[in-house]
Amino acid sequence: MKWSRLTALCFAAVLAASPALTGCSSGGGDDDGYVTVNAGEPQNPLLPANTNENQGGRVVDRLFAGLKYYDVDGKSYNEMAQSIDSPDRQHYTITLKPDWTFTDGTPVTAKSFVDAWNYGALGSNAQLSSWVFSPIVGYTDVSVDPPKAQTMSGLKVVDNRTFTVDLTQPSMDFELSLGFSPFYPLPDVAYKDMKAFGEHPIGNGPYQFSSWDHNVKIVVQANPGYHGGRPAKNKGLRFMMYQSFDTAYADLLAGNLDVLDTVPASALATYKKDLGDRAIDHPTAQNLHVGFPKDLPHFGGAEGVLRRKAISMAINREQICANIFYGARLPARDFTASTLPGFRGDLPGVQWLSYNPDEAKKLWAQADAISPWSGDLQIAYNSDGDHQAVIEAIANSVKNTLGIAAGPAPYPTFKNLRDEITHRSLNKAFRYAWQGDYPSMFEFLTSQYLTGSETNDIDYANPEFDRLLNAALAAPTPDQGYALLAQAQTLLLADMADVPVLEYNAASARSDRVQAKVTWAGLFDFENIEKK
C-alpha cells in the first residue's frame, strides 16, 4: 500500500522561516511524552484503501486496527479478529473480538469491515489499493466503472461480530494479508464525505488523530480505548515533514528529532561513528527500480525489451552500492526483496541484472536495428527524497556505457511525481520503489505487475504471468507456491518489465532520548518507541 504501498522515502516542504535554518523547531526536545519522527506530505487524504505510499501509510497504520497486525520482525498476530477459520483457504469465517469501538464511540462491527471493503473495491471510487480485493468473489462486477454491482457477492455479514469471505480460488496469502491497510474497517460517518473524513480520520487503532498542518506535520495521540496487541508506549507521535534527509539528520543531531528512518547518503560514511549504538543497520524488505511508462517512445514491444535489458546491464550496481551507500544498499537480484520467504537469487535471466557493458551495447544495437534511437533518456525522481546521487549515478552509468544522452529529471516533491505517475501524464523514465506492507513476495509482485492493478505504474500486462501468480497462490504447499513464483519472476526478467536496481539495508538513527527499533519493512516500530 502502500508500500503497501509505493515507497516514498521522501519529504515534503519543510516549515522554515529561513533556508539557512537546519533545525525545524519541532518540539522534539520537550518532555510531553510525544515522539517526533520524520515524515512527508501524504499524496492523498488518509483513507486506508487509497493510501499506497509510505508517508500516508505510516500514519494510517497508526490510526486503524485491522483483523491482524505485524510485529517488528513481520510475524502476524490477530488484532481485531478473535478467529479466522477456513477449511480450504478459500472460504473464510471471521469472528471479531467484542467491545471494540472507533474513537468517536461507535462500535466496530462485521459490517464496518464489509462496507469498507466494498467501498474500496468499487471501481467508481477509484481507490489506489483496490487490487487487494481481487481474490474475492464478485470483485470483477464491482471493480469496473460503471460497476455491474455495488457489493461483492463473496462478502456476507452473519451478525455483528461475524462475516464470511469467499475467494475465487484457494490462497496461501489471504489470511496473512489481512493486516494490510486496505482491509481496515471504516465508521459509518466516513461515507457522508470521504474526502473530508480523510482529512480528519476516525479510526480504531493504537493512536487517534489530532491534527494535520499540511506540508508541516501530522500529530496523533495515544488512543486510550485501544485494547489490541500493539498499544502505544508513548503519549503520541509528531510526523514532521522535511525538505531533505540532510535537514532531518541535522535535526536529529541537534536534538530536535527523535527518530529518522533514512540516514542521508551524505552521512552514510560517518553516521555509525557519529551515533554509536544510536545507529541502526539491518536488512529490510524494500527495493528501488527504474520504470518506463507504457507509451514512452522506443520502450514498447520487442524494441523496449531489448532497451530495458541493455539499460539494466549498463548499470554498475555494485559500484553504486559501495561508493554512494557504503553497504546500505545491495544490488537487486529479483523484483522483490531477499529478506522475504521464498526468495531465490539464481532465477533464469538474473544475468540481465549484472553489469556487462559489452552485452549492453549489443542489445542496444539490436534495438537500434528495429528503430534507431533518438532523443535522450531522462529519469524522473523527487528532489525531497535524497535520490539525486543514485539517479545521477544510474544515468551516468547508462550514458558512459551506451553512449547516449542520459540524465536525471528532478521533481520538487514526491507528491508532484506520484501525481504524474498515477495520472499517466509522465513522459519519461522514473525512479520508483516498494516497501513491504506485509511480509510476502506476493504483495510485491501482485501490486506492481498484475494486469490491471492500480499500483502497476508501468501498466505491465502478461497473461502467463497472471496465470502463474494465481497458480502460486493456490498451490497446496508454500514450497510449490514459491516454485511457481520463481517461474513468474522468470517471465518478468525475460520481459524486463522494469529495471530492478537496488534493495535496502536500513540505515536509520534515533536520538538519545528514546529507545526504538526498525521493523522488517524499514519503518520504525512506532508504537514501541519509548521516551527515556
Side-chain angles (χ1 to χ4, degrees):
M1 126 215 101
K2 134 191 128 55
W3 10 240
S4 50
R5 160 175 50 265
L6 287 167
T7 308
L9 297 178
C10 71
F11 301 93
V14 67
L15 70 161
S18 166
L21 293 177
T22 56
C24 68
S25 301
S26 64
D30 58 32
D31 295 320
D32 64 359
Y34 278 67
V35 174
T36 59
V37 304
N38 71 281
E41 177 73 2
Q43 183 188 8
N44 298 305
L46 299 172
L47 300 176
N50 201 42
T51 298
N52 73 330
E53 43 76 32
N54 80 6
Q55 300 307 336
R58 67 182 63 198
V59 182
V60 166
D61 288 339
R62 316 279 73 79
L63 298 176
F64 290 87
L67 297 169
K68 303 184 79 71
Y69 74 94
Y70 313 104
D71 70 7
V72 66
D73 298 315
K75 185 177 179 180
S76 66
Y77 298 87
N78 283 356
E79 189 168 25
M80 271 210 65
Q82 180 171 293
S83 62
I84 302 173
D85 298 319
S86 175
D88 54 8
R89 299 182 305 156
Q90 184 173 1
H91 305 285
Y92 291 82
T93 299
I94 298 173
T95 302
L96 305 180
K97 294 174 181 176
D99 304 321
W100 204 303
T101 63
F102 292 103
T103 55
D104 65 353
T106 58
V108 186
T109 66
K111 186 174 182 293
S112 306
F113 282 91
V114 170
D115 286 353
W117 295 12
N118 279 320
Y119 179 88
L122 195 64
S124 55
N125 292 329
Q127 300 294 281
L128 290 174
S129 294
S130 64
W131 60 269
V132 306
F133 305 110
S134 59
I136 299 175
V137 172
Y139 171 79
T140 54
D141 291 329
V142 306
S143 61
V144 292
D145 189 12
K148 298 177 181 178
Q150 295 295 309
T151 60
M152 290 180 282
S153 58
L155 293 179
K156 302 291 184 186
V157 174
V158 177
D159 56 42
N160 273 351
R161 290 179 48 211
T162 310
F163 67 103
T164 59
V165 186
D166 294 328
L167 307 184
T168 57
Q169 63 171 35
S171 171
M172 63 181 283
D173 208 49
F174 181 71
E175 182 174 345
L176 177 64
S177 75
L178 290 176
F180 187 14
S181 62
F183 292 110
Y184 293 155
L186 290 173
D188 289 343
V189 68
Y191 304 100
K192 294 180 180 179
D193 187 336
M194 197 62 74
K195 183 177 180 181
F197 177 84
E199 293 288 332
H200 199 290
I202 296 168
N204 62 322
Y207 295 89
Q208 58 189 38
F209 180 84
S210 293
S211 63
W212 184 354
D213 188 358
H214 284 277
N215 297 312
V216 178
K217 65 182 176 182
I218 294 174
V219 181
V220 300
Q221 65 186 65
N223 176 13
Y226 174 81
H227 50 273
R230 51 185 181 116
K233 294 183 178 179
N234 47 68
K235 290 186 177 180
L237 303 168
R238 293 187 182 92
F239 294 93
M240 306 303 300
M241 301 175 191
Y242 285 88
Q243 188 176 20
S244 73
F245 282 108
D246 289 289
T247 304
Y249 187 65
D251 255 10
L252 184 93
L253 295 177
N256 294 322
L257 184 66
D258 286 319
V259 295
L260 173 62
D261 58 41
T262 305
V263 171
S266 61
L268 287 175
T270 61
Y271 86 106
K272 292 181 181 179
K273 180 180 178 181
D274 293 341
L275 298 174
D277 65 359
R278 296 189 287 124
I280 302 170
D281 175 16
H282 72 86
T284 63
Q286 300 169 257
N287 61 28
L288 181 154
H289 293 199
V290 174
F292 300 82
K294 178 182 177 181
D295 298 325
L296 190 65
H298 294 292
F299 286 94
E303 179 193 359
V305 173
L306 291 166
R307 295 206 187 277
R308 290 190 294 273
K309 287 179 179 177
I311 289 168
S312 180
M313 300 184 84
I315 299 172
N316 193 333
R317 295 168 176 80
E318 288 77 8
Q319 187 178 75
I320 290 172
C321 291
N323 293 352
I324 296 177
F325 295 111
Y326 297 90
R329 305 289 186 272
L330 302 171
R333 302 300 292 169
D334 79 341
F335 292 82
T336 65
S338 61
T339 57
L340 296 171
F343 170 84
R344 282 179 48 182
D346 60 349
L347 296 170
V350 74
Q351 69 272 14
W352 290 312
L353 303 185
S354 296
Y355 181 54
N356 188 332
D358 291 338
E359 187 63 24
K361 293 173 185 175
K362 290 179 183 177
L363 293 172
W364 196 259
Q366 291 175 29
D368 279 343
I370 297 174
S371 177
W373 173 256
S374 60
D376 59 357
L377 177 69
Q378 293 182 301
I379 306 175
Y381 71 97
N382 51 294
S383 297
D384 58 0
D386 199 35
H387 305 309
Q388 180 178 349
V390 65
I391 297 303
E392 285 182 347
I394 291 170
N396 286 334
S397 195
V398 171
K399 178 174 64 176
N400 294 336
T401 300
L402 300 178
I404 64 171
Y411 280 64
T413 69
F414 169 73
K415 178 176 170 54
N416 295 146
L417 178 58
R418 284 304 314 164
D419 284 345
E420 286 206 14
I421 293 171
T422 300
H423 298 136
R424 300 301 190 265
S425 58
L426 191 67
N427 61 352
K428 52 184 71 69
F430 57 94
R431 173 230 174 254
Y432 75 132
W434 197 264
Q435 186 169 25
D437 296 287
Y438 60 95
S440 168
M441 295 174 71
F442 285 101
E443 193 228 345
F444 279 68
L445 298 174
T446 303
S447 59
Q448 296 183 90
Y449 306 109
L450 181 72
T451 301
S453 166
E454 288 77 11
T455 47
N456 181 346
D457 289 335
I458 56 175
D459 296 312
Y460 178 75
N462 185 325
E464 180 61 9
F465 172 83
D466 297 346
R467 186 192 70 79
L468 287 167
L469 193 64
N470 287 323
L473 280 168
T477 68
D479 285 346
Q480 288 172 287
Y482 295 141
L484 288 165
L485 275 189
Q487 293 181 42
Q489 288 214 74
T490 299
L491 282 182
L492 291 181
L493 285 165
D495 292 339
M496 196 54 64
D498 59 22
V499 176
V501 182
L502 307 173
E503 62 172 285
Y504 285 64
N505 278 331
S508 308
R510 64 174 178 85
S511 76
D512 58 6
R513 295 188 306 275
V514 298
Q515 295 290 350
K517 292 182 178 180
V518 171
T519 71
W520 65 277
L523 292 175
F524 274 93
D525 185 13
F526 293 107
E527 287 79 14
N528 288 311
I529 300 176
E530 294 188 74
K531 283 265 190 173
K532 292 184 179 179

